[in-house]
Amino acid sequence: MGILPRNRGGEGGIVVDMLSERATMMRGSVQKSQSITDNMVSILGSFDHRLSALETAMRPTQIRTHAIRKAHENIDRTLKAADVILSQFDLSRQAEAKILKGPHEDLESYLEAIEQLRNNIRFFNNNKSFKSSDGVLNNANSLLAKAISKLEDEFKQLLSSYSKPVEPERLFECLPTSMRPSTGSPGDQDSSSKNHLPSSHGEHNHGTDDTVYTPPALIPPRILPLLHDLSQQMVQAGHQQQLVKIYREVRFPVLEESLRKLGVEKLSKDDVQKMQWEVLEFKIGNWIHYMRIAVKLLFAAERKVCDQMFEGFEQIKDQCFADVTTGSVAMLLSFGDAIAKSKRSPEKLFVLLDMYEIMRELHTEIELLFRGKSCNEIRESAFGLSKRLAQTAQETFRDFEEAVEKDATKTAVSDGTVHPLTSYVINYVKFLFDYQSTLKQLFQEFENGDSNSQLAAVTMRIMQALQTNLDGKSKQYKDPSLTNLFLMNNIHYMVRSVRRSEAKDLLGDDWVQRHRRVVQQHANQYKRIAWAKILQCLSIQGLTSSGGSNSMGVDGQNSSGVSRALVKERLKTFNIQFEDLHQRQSQWTVPDTELRESLRLAVAEVLLPAYRSFIKRFGLMVESGKNPQKYIRYSAEDLERMLGEFFEGKTLNEPKR
């Protein structure tokens, strides 16, 4: 800074002095401030020294305080852990008390105690650092084993208490009303089995889709949840095999006893082979009912029990169901198998079809009930029986066709009526048509194609086989007119039976019309052969010469040259032949009323006009002589009445109209 110029007067000196004083004051202040600062630094340094000393003195106390705090935290944690452990011990003692008491009085508390025991085991397994953990775990595991053992006993006792055989009457109440036996049970030997034979067939196909079956409750609904809880505990304990074993041991004999009470028997193939047909027939009818009741009611009910009791354990469900039912199913199927493998005969075809039909009806239920790997063998056995029954039925069908054609029975029908073979075969075919849907299904088992065409072809072959056989049997007659009457009767029976049955739709109008013409041909042949000779007696041929009148000459001839002796001879021969025809053919039989009247009328339309004409033309020649009644024995009315006695032999085997 520049130096101010001095004032020449007094004012300048004053200013300088003032500034000088101020500078002196400021210097003094600075010096004083420096002194204070130095003093403060000295004081603060002394204070810092003291604080460091104090901190050094306090450090042990701080360390002890931290240790004490840590110790308190550890003690607190330990006390809390000890409290948890003590509570686990307390809960374990409570569980032990309940378990030692057993499950019978309070099953729910018992199951809770087992669950608590499991929790304790899990706890000590996760806290094995405790010195007492091993001992506690050993004790808990031992107690749990005892608990599960008691649980098994309780499961077995509870299951046994509520497992009772089902009485037949209770099973019948579960059936649809139309299928309940009116009196007795299917197992009673005095009761009637359902119709399943050709002679009384017509109720074989009850198993429609809309038929409702109500399986019985084998275990009370209130007990099943308890059994489910028990089984669940056993599974969790790893006792699946014990569970399955107990269920099998309890339920297996109960199911078998239910079937035994119903009437199911253990029959071997040898037993079946030794039975008389009537007895076997009865047992087959019962077997069909047993199969339906067993599958739709008993097995269905057993499956429901398994599904509810072992819910959540699919493999155990199937295993228990398979173990319990396998013996009963085998017992039922073995009888069916014995029938399928027994000696074939025509009368067995219908029972084979009935048996095949029930197996087809039950196919869906069997597939549903016996699902799962454990039931594979049972399921395949049932389906295998269906195949064997179908195979045997088809083979029996072929046997029947061959037997019809080759039938060599010597049963004679001397009156020319319908042969027993004809009525048997036709009835057989008619009953086959009651099984149309079953037969079509059976054909599909082995062949592809139109099942209607297959059934029609089989039916036509049987009809043709019958005709072939009848042609052979007709040759046994010495009288060719009776041969034709026999064929007329039998083929007419076939035609009429077909027209009045479902076979008509299958064989068609062409078959019917063709065979009606055959009937008419045999009727015409009969008339021609049986009445040709007698009509010769009434012919004018050989009696008259050309021209002339009917006036008599002296030599017993009329003006046309007809000899009285020849006329008498003709009338005498006529009488003998007619009486012979009447005697024989009144013993012959035309069982069908319409056909019989038609045949009589056809004969009368030829015979009576010829007889009237002959008598009218030559009767006077005889009446004017001696003993005219010896030659003219019958009026036309007498002949008509006697014709009404023709074909009136026994009318056995006449089909119902």
Side-chain angles (χ1 to χ4, degrees):
M1 138 173 139
I3 299 174
L4 292 174
R6 283 180 186 267
N7 254 331
R8 292 183 189 155
E11 290 181 7
I14 294 170
V15 172
V16 170
D17 291 339
M18 287 176 66
L19 289 171
S20 179
E21 287 175 6
R22 287 181 181 177
T24 301
M25 288 175 66
M26 287 179 66
R27 191 181 297 113
S29 296
V30 169
Q31 289 174 351
K32 188 176 180 179
S33 176
Q34 183 66 46
S35 177
I36 291 169
T37 300
D38 291 341
N39 289 336
M40 281 300 294
V41 168
S42 177
I43 290 167
L44 287 171
S46 175
F47 186 70
D48 183 57
H49 178 72
R50 282 182 228 163
L51 280 175
S52 295
L54 180 62
E55 185 178 347
T56 302
M58 287 294 291
R59 188 170 290 117
T61 303
Q62 289 174 341
I63 291 170
R64 283 196 299 273
T65 301
H66 180 72
I68 290 168
R69 188 183 300 115
K70 285 290 184 183
H72 274 291
E73 289 175 359
N74 288 337
I75 290 168
D76 192 44
R77 281 197 298 270
T78 302
L79 287 173
K80 286 181 179 177
D83 188 50
V84 171
I85 293 169
L86 288 172
S87 68
Q88 289 294 326
F89 276 116
D90 187 47
L91 290 170
S92 181
R93 282 194 299 272
Q94 292 175 18
E96 183 175 8
K98 290 178 181 178
I99 287 168
L100 292 175
K101 192 175 180 181
H104 194 62
E105 291 183 8
D106 189 350
L107 179 59
E108 189 174 351
S109 294
Y110 189 84
L111 294 175
E112 289 174 358
I114 289 177
E115 190 57 37
Q116 182 57 56
L117 196 58
R118 285 202 176 99
N119 289 335
N120 290 345
I121 291 170
R122 281 192 290 271
F123 174 82
F124 286 108
N125 270 323
N126 293 330
N127 296 278
K128 286 191 174 181
S129 58
F130 299 139
K131 290 182 180 180
S132 58
S133 288
D134 289 343
V136 172
L137 281 170
N138 289 337
N139 182 63
N141 282 316
S142 175
L143 186 60
L144 183 60
K146 290 178 183 177
I148 298 300
S149 178
K150 288 186 177 183
L151 209 60
E152 287 181 10
D153 293 340
E154 179 66 13
F155 179 80
K156 185 173 184 178
Q157 190 275 330
L158 193 61
L159 185 62
S160 299
S161 297
Y162 290 98
S163 292
K164 304 296 179 189
V166 185
E167 296 297 326
E169 291 72 19
R170 187 173 164 217
L171 288 171
F172 299 150
E173 289 171 1
C174 297
L175 291 170
T177 306
S178 62
M179 298 180 65
R180 296 174 189 173
S182 54
T183 57
S185 72
D188 296 334
Q189 289 298 314
D190 294 330
S191 65
S192 298
S193 63
K194 291 287 183 182
N195 297 332
H196 58 279
L197 304 171
S199 58
S200 58
H201 177 71
E203 299 182 26
H204 62 282
N205 194 13
H206 278 299
T208 56
D209 293 338
D210 56 355
T211 304
V212 178
Y213 295 83
T214 310
L218 302 182
I219 305 288
R222 63 186 176 85
I223 302 299
L224 275 172
L226 298 178
L227 290 167
H228 172 265
D229 292 343
L230 288 169
S231 62
Q232 191 173 34
Q233 291 291 337
M234 291 171 67
V235 171
Q236 287 178 6
H239 288 218
Q240 293 96 323
Q241 291 307 312
Q242 293 93 317
L243 178 64
V244 172
K245 182 174 180 287
I246 291 170
Y247 190 85
R248 178 177 62 246
E249 288 176 351
V250 174
R251 295 295 309 161
F252 182 92
V254 170
L255 180 58
E256 282 207 333
E257 180 63 12
S258 297
L259 289 172
R260 190 196 66 77
K261 283 176 172 283
L262 187 64
V264 177
E265 302 172 88
K266 290 184 178 179
L267 295 171
S268 67
K269 183 180 177 182
D270 289 339
D271 294 331
V272 168
Q273 295 285 23
K274 293 173 185 175
M275 284 182 192
Q276 292 183 350
W277 169 241
E278 292 75 14
V279 176
L280 185 59
E281 189 177 43
F282 178 81
K283 289 188 180 295
I284 291 171
N286 282 346
W287 179 85
I288 290 167
H289 300 303
Y290 298 153
M291 281 299 300
R292 185 179 282 117
I293 289 171
V295 173
K296 291 181 178 284
L297 299 180
L298 282 172
F299 297 159
E302 195 72 42
R303 172 51 93 169
K304 188 175 180 181
V305 168
C306 288
D307 287 350
Q308 292 179 346
M309 193 179 299
F310 308 118
E311 185 179 1
F313 307 105
E314 294 301 319
Q315 188 174 353
I316 294 177
K317 279 183 191 180
D318 296 343
Q319 184 65 55
C320 285
F321 181 67
D323 285 357
V324 169
T325 55
T326 184
S328 297
V329 173
M331 182 166 59
L332 286 162
L333 296 184
S334 65
F335 178 79
D337 203 51
I339 299 297
K341 292 177 179 178
S342 63
K343 185 179 179 182
R344 298 193 301 269
S345 60
E347 65 270 16
K348 283 185 182 176
L349 178 59
F350 296 99
V351 295
L352 285 167
L353 291 174
D354 281 330
M355 293 171 76
Y356 173 73
E357 198 170 64
I358 189 63
M359 294 306 295
R360 290 296 309 171
E361 177 189 326
L362 299 175
H363 185 97
T364 302
E365 281 93 343
I366 290 171
E367 201 165 39
L368 180 64
L369 293 174
F370 295 94
R371 61 186 180 271
K373 186 177 179 181
S374 300
C375 299
N376 276 351
E377 190 174 339
I378 301 173
R379 191 171 60 249
E380 292 308 314
S381 294
F383 296 159
L385 175 59
S386 294
K387 286 281 187 183
R388 282 190 294 279
L389 288 168
Q391 182 69 42
T392 306
Q394 194 174 55
E395 289 169 356
T396 304
F397 220 145
R398 286 197 291 265
D399 290 347
F400 177 70
E401 183 184 331
E402 185 177 344
V404 169
E405 185 169 355
K406 295 181 178 178
D407 176 74
T409 54
K410 300 299 182 182
T411 305
V413 283
S414 57
D415 58 354
T417 189
V418 175
H419 196 278
L421 177 67
T422 305
S423 56
Y424 177 74
V425 170
I426 293 301
N427 284 337
Y428 204 91
V429 170
K430 284 165 67 177
F431 283 117
L432 283 176
F433 277 89
D434 287 342
Y435 288 90
Q436 274 196 74
S437 60
T438 304
L439 286 167
K440 289 172 185 177
Q441 182 65 50
L442 187 145
F443 290 139
Q444 291 299 320
E445 291 270 8
F446 306 102
E447 301 176 40
N448 294 322
D450 182 9
S451 54
N452 274 335
S453 299
Q454 291 171 336
L455 185 56
V458 169
T459 306
M460 284 186 178
R461 287 201 305 268
I462 291 174
M463 292 294 201
Q464 186 55 53
L466 176 58
Q467 280 186 259
T468 301
N469 188 279
L470 291 172
D471 284 340
K473 283 181 168 50
S474 71
K475 293 178 171 57
Q476 296 174 355
Y477 298 109
K478 295 179 179 178
D479 187 336
S481 59
L482 186 54
T483 294
N484 282 280
L485 191 79
F486 170 79
L487 291 172
M488 177 197 73
N489 278 330
N490 282 269
I491 296 174
H492 178 268
Y493 183 95
M494 292 168 63
V495 171
R496 194 182 69 169
S497 298
V498 167
R499 286 177 61 199
R500 297 179 181 184
S501 74
E502 295 179 68
K504 179 183 177 183
D505 295 331
L506 205 62
L507 296 178
D509 284 333
D510 181 63
W511 186 94
V512 172
Q513 294 304 323
R514 189 167 67 253
H515 285 78
R516 287 182 71 179
R517 288 194 293 272
V518 173
V519 172
Q520 190 59 52
Q521 288 167 7
H522 286 299
N524 292 339
Q525 284 288 84
Y526 156 78
K527 285 189 299 179
R528 185 182 63 78
I529 296 170
W531 296 91
K533 286 178 68 178
I534 198 171
L535 288 172
Q536 286 282 336
C537 296
L538 302 176
S539 170
I540 332 175
Q541 190 175 1
L543 288 178
T544 61
S545 57
S546 58
S549 68
N550 286 337
S551 58
M552 296 297 296
V554 292
D555 59 352
Q557 293 182 339
N558 63 12
S559 57
S560 60
V562 175
S563 165
R564 177 187 290 125
L566 191 53
V567 169
K568 287 181 178 181
E569 185 61 31
R570 288 281 189 93
L571 287 171
K572 182 179 178 182
T573 303
F574 173 84
N575 293 334
I576 293 170
Q577 288 185 0
F578 184 79
E579 287 165 4
D580 177 62
L581 286 172
H582 177 268
Q583 183 180 2
R584 285 187 296 112
Q585 295 197 27
S586 61
Q587 300 303 310
W588 293 358
T589 301
V590 178
D592 182 79
T593 305
E594 291 181 8
L595 183 60
R596 183 169 62 246
E597 290 303 321
S598 173
L599 195 60
R600 286 171 180 167
L601 182 61
V603 172
E605 285 176 345
V606 174
L607 178 67
L608 297 181
Y611 186 75
R612 286 192 181 99
S613 176
F614 191 89
I615 295 300
K616 181 179 180 181
R617 187 164 186 176
F618 304 111
L620 288 175
M621 294 178 64
V622 176
E623 288 171 355
S624 62
K626 296 179 180 179
N627 300 319
Q629 68 277 5
K630 180 179 177 181
Y631 303 102
I632 306 177
R633 292 184 185 177
Y634 307 107
S635 65
E637 291 71 21
D638 291 334
L639 294 181
E640 188 174 10
R641 177 184 55 78
M642 292 176 73
L643 281 176
E645 296 170 358
F646 275 55
F647 320 125
E648 286 289 348
K650 297 178 182 180
T651 56
L652 297 177
N653 299 314
E654 181 177 357
K656 292 180 180 179
R657 300 185 56 202

